[in-house]
Amino acid sequence: MGFCSKAPCNRALFTMLGITIFMNTSMEEVIAFKCCALPDQNLEIHLHNTGKEALSIKSRFVLDDGPKPLTITAVYPPTGIKLAPGQTAAIYTSMDERVWEQYRSIRFEEQGGIFHSFAINTNKG
Amino acid sequence: MATGIRDKVAIIGMGCTRFGERWDVGGEELLVEAFEEAIADAGIEKKDIQAAWFGTCLEEINVGKSGLPLSTSLRLPNIPVTRTENYCATGTEAFRGAVYAVASGAYDICLAQGLEKLKDTGYGGLPNPGSNGGTLPWQWWPNLTAPGSFAQLASAYGAKYKRSDAQIKDAMSHISAKSHVNGAKNPKAHLRKVVSKDQIKASPIIAHPLGLFDCCGVSDGSACAIVTTPEIAKKLGKKDIISVKALQLALSSGSEMAFDDWDGDHFVTTSICSKRAYAEAGITNPREEISMMEVHDCFSITELVTYEDLHISPRGKAIDDILSGFYDADGGLPCQIDGGLKCFGHPIGASGLRMLYEMYLQLQGKAGERQLKDPKLGLTHNLGGFPFMNVCAISIVGKLDA
């Protein structure tokens, strides 16, 4: 379960975005093979639109609750993700597992400045 | 009166390289790698091969024109070598040349070998044929892409049979997931990891509704077959001989492109070619009699529609068969048991022979982890070109006495 907020009021809302994370995904070699030499795309994240309105998510995310916020912009596909209600789409990026393990939440940004945050690595100490 | 090819020619040896981005070797080494496996399997010497057919399609940087790349790489002793090219049916076309040569009585033992070394050219997809494409095709399909063209096939199919995008996507995802499960068991496949239907559905769209996993990649690889007569095969001490039951080719006449009565939802050539192949092989009920298939899964929608064009699934019902698991490894008619183009990639000149290689292994009980239970007949299918104009090749092989 995640929550969303809109700057500057930082008003907490139930998010209409859901995510599923695949670290060390089996997609990695497929993306490297088929997608014009995009190697090391070992992190796959599925974005699900669980709401009744379309979502437009930027091709970037921020890792929070770690040493310092870490913005990841080298995300494939780079043009943003448009999600119709009920639709799921994946993004891929290269992620050092040791860095990933240091963070406890991940934040996506919707066009219009709405942020969607989710807990990650909750099974780690 | 022509009597067809059934049981006139036996396959006595086959070889296949590992497919993939073979930066480690050149085209010559790929030819040698596959050939050494085949000649050892056949139990003959190189001097016993009297003629060869060499299939290579697009790649003329690493390979080049004529039969010379094969004759020189293998050091074949000044025998006739013919280069064949027929789009994605190139490998099967080379096989056809060798098989017909033996059947005619012109030669006793022939070699068919296919090769493509595409990854060095730097293309993610097929290279643009450019000036080598000929002026006529460029008038027919200016600015056309393969994914775009086959995506239209999906749209036409959905419109005709009242299947939604979601239903088609679900079936295509099943097709691809099934192939990746199979390919994970094949040491010669390039992509060897299982991928879930959810991952496939969520992957980027290439040309709606075709996503990343609905499109095969190109690749490097080579495969070959050594053929002779069943009589000579027996004299060589071969047991459980694998023979050619049917070998058919059908090319578009141009009528589909004129949209006379074709509505873009299927392959006219495959429908005709398969009927001829079944007649040649003496098959009356392909759904029951064919044990396994390797079809041309360049795109998942191609595989879906081909099930119907092969007269295995009823028209408009392939989706039901796919989702029921009929074409899975443990289903009624396993398809792409080696992983198919999705896991091997598509080195065009080699793909047809790679498909035959899997049928050959399966029929001999040598497919290891992928082995099916007692297969009798295997079908391979290639489709080169576009839905509206293409080359279709179908071969059926089986045990000689079956």
Side-chain angles (χ1 to χ4, degrees):
Chain A
M1 174 67 75
F3 69 89
C4 69
S5 61
K6 183 166 185 175
C9 66
N10 205 27
R11 176 167 57 95
L13 303 165
F14 287 113
T15 179
M16 293 297 107
L17 184 69
I19 66 167
T20 307
I21 294 166
F22 302 82
M23 175 52 86
N24 294 324
T25 173
S26 55
M27 288 287 295
E28 182 176 348
E29 64 173 340
V30 178
I31 299 281
F33 175 46
K34 289 185 178 177
C35 292
C36 305
L38 269 178
D40 307 321
Q41 303 293 295
N42 62 321
L43 177 62
E44 175 183 5
I45 302 176
H46 289 190
L47 306 174
H48 321 280
N49 183 350
T50 58
K52 293 180 179 176
E53 294 180 9
L55 292 174
S56 187
I57 307 296
K58 292 183 179 178
S59 284
R60 55 190 295 165
F61 60 84
V62 181
L63 295 179
D64 289 322
D65 298 328
K68 62 178 180 180
L70 182 62
T71 302
I72 307 294
T73 57
V75 170
Y76 174 77
T79 51
I81 301 289
K82 291 181 179 174
L83 293 169
Q87 190 180 358
T88 299
I91 60 168
Y92 312 89
T93 193
S94 177
M95 177 60 64
D96 185 328
E97 251 188 295
R98 292 165 298 182
V99 173
W100 175 257
E101 293 292 335
Q102 294 174 9
Y103 290 87
R104 294 293 174 269
S105 68
I106 185 169
R107 175 162 42 105
F108 288 90
E109 184 180 358
E110 195 180 335
Q111 295 288 355
I114 298 174
F115 292 91
H116 302 259
S117 292
F118 303 88
I120 56 172
N121 296 325
T122 50
N123 57 338
K124 302 293 179 187
Chain B
M1 176 89 179
T3 55
I5 203 71
R6 183 180 178 184
D7 287 336
K8 292 177 180 173
V9 177
I11 307 172
I12 55 169
M14 288 200 79
C16 182
T17 67
R18 180 176 62 78
F19 280 29
E21 293 174 297
R22 295 294 305 268
W23 313 120
D24 55 322
V25 292
E28 300 92 333
E29 285 101 332
L30 289 172
L31 288 168
V32 170
E33 186 179 325
F35 178 73
E36 284 186 343
E37 181 185 349
I39 196 103
D41 180 35
I44 62 170
E45 295 181 46
K46 192 159 59 179
K47 65 178 175 53
D48 297 326
I49 296 172
Q50 297 165 323
W53 275 257
F54 174 44
T56 188
C57 183
L58 287 173
E59 209 289 281
E60 296 190 339
I61 297 171
N62 293 289
V63 182
K65 295 183 186 296
S66 85
L68 284 167
L70 184 69
S71 65
T72 55
S73 297
L74 301 185
R75 302 287 191 269
L76 295 174
N78 305 114
I79 63 169
V81 180
T82 302
R83 178 189 170 183
T84 65
E85 185 282 305
N86 216 349
Y87 280 2
C88 300
T90 292
T92 304
E93 189 69 274
F95 183 69
R96 187 163 165 264
V99 166
Y100 278 21
V102 166
S104 74
Y107 301 107
D108 287 331
I109 300 178
C110 291
L111 167 71
Q113 183 146 10
L115 166 72
E116 215 79 34
K117 188 83 171 66
L118 287 168
K119 298 306 292 186
D120 296 327
T121 58
Y123 288 94
L126 292 176
N128 188 324
S131 59
N132 288 341
T135 55
L136 210 48
W138 285 119
Q139 293 174 38
W140 292 331
W141 50 65
N143 303 319
L144 189 69
T145 67
S149 175
F150 283 81
Q152 289 179 323
L153 177 74
S155 302
Y157 182 90
K160 181 164 183 175
Y161 296 109
K162 306 287 185 284
R163 296 291 195 162
S164 67
D165 272 5
Q167 287 176 307
I168 291 175
K169 192 69 182 172
D170 195 37
M172 290 197 303
S173 302
H174 189 109
I175 282 172
S176 195
K178 166 266 297 168
S179 293
H180 281 275
V181 166
N182 295 344
K185 298 176 182 172
N186 194 333
K188 292 191 174 180
H190 179 186
L191 301 175
R192 297 196 58 205
K193 288 184 179 169
V194 172
V195 182
S196 72
K197 279 182 75 172
D198 284 345
Q199 286 178 293
I200 291 166
K201 286 181 182 177
S203 64
I205 291 293
I206 305 299
H208 182 84
L210 306 180
L212 184 65
F213 280 91
D214 298 318
C215 311
C216 80
V218 298
S219 195
D220 303 332
S222 179
C224 63
I226 297 170
V227 295
T228 187
T229 64
E231 293 73 27
I232 293 173
K234 287 175 186 169
K235 284 180 189 168
L236 289 169
K238 298 290 179 185
K239 295 187 169 50
D240 299 325
I241 293 169
I242 309 303
S243 67
V244 180
K245 305 292 184 183
L247 201 45
Q248 288 290 333
L249 201 65
L251 277 74
S252 294
S253 65
S255 65
E256 306 100 298
M257 198 173 51
F259 294 98
D260 49 0
D261 60 355
W262 181 67
D263 48 16
D265 71 302
H266 74 293
F267 300 98
V268 172
T269 51
T270 302
S271 181
I272 293 169
C273 194
S274 57
K275 283 183 180 175
R276 286 188 197 145
Y278 298 144
E280 187 171 36
I283 292 169
T284 54
N285 184 348
R287 188 178 173 101
E288 296 298 325
E289 294 176 66
I290 301 286
S291 312
M292 56 190 169
M293 302 192 295
E294 290 286 327
V295 307
H296 201 84
D297 55 330
C298 52
F299 299 96
S300 299
I301 190 64
T302 316
E303 182 170 335
L304 188 157
V305 170
T306 296
Y307 289 149
E308 298 179 12
D309 287 327
L310 291 174
H311 312 286
I312 307 287
S313 291
R315 287 283 175 206
K317 302 292 185 189
I319 289 177
D320 303 332
D321 277 338
I322 291 162
L323 295 177
S324 75
F326 183 70
Y327 296 108
D328 294 354
D330 58 354
L333 178 39
C335 190
Q336 324 298 61
I337 193 66
D338 70 351
L341 295 174
K342 296 284 172 43
C343 294
F344 272 83
H346 186 18
I348 304 168
S351 289
L353 283 154
R354 183 269 299 164
M355 295 173 173
L356 280 163
Y357 178 74
E358 179 67 11
M359 300 294 96
Y360 178 76
L361 292 180
Q362 290 282 352
L363 288 164
Q364 293 191 322
K366 295 178 179 174
E369 217 183 331
R370 307 181 307 283
Q371 183 62 48
L372 301 171
K373 188 180 175 187
D374 196 26
K376 298 285 195 301
L377 290 172
L379 180 149
T380 69
H381 160 265
N382 294 123
L383 189 96
F386 299 99
F388 56 83
M389 186 163 62
N390 55 70
V391 177
C392 173
I394 291 175
S395 66
I396 300 174
V397 295
K399 293 175 182 173
L400 179 63
D401 302 321

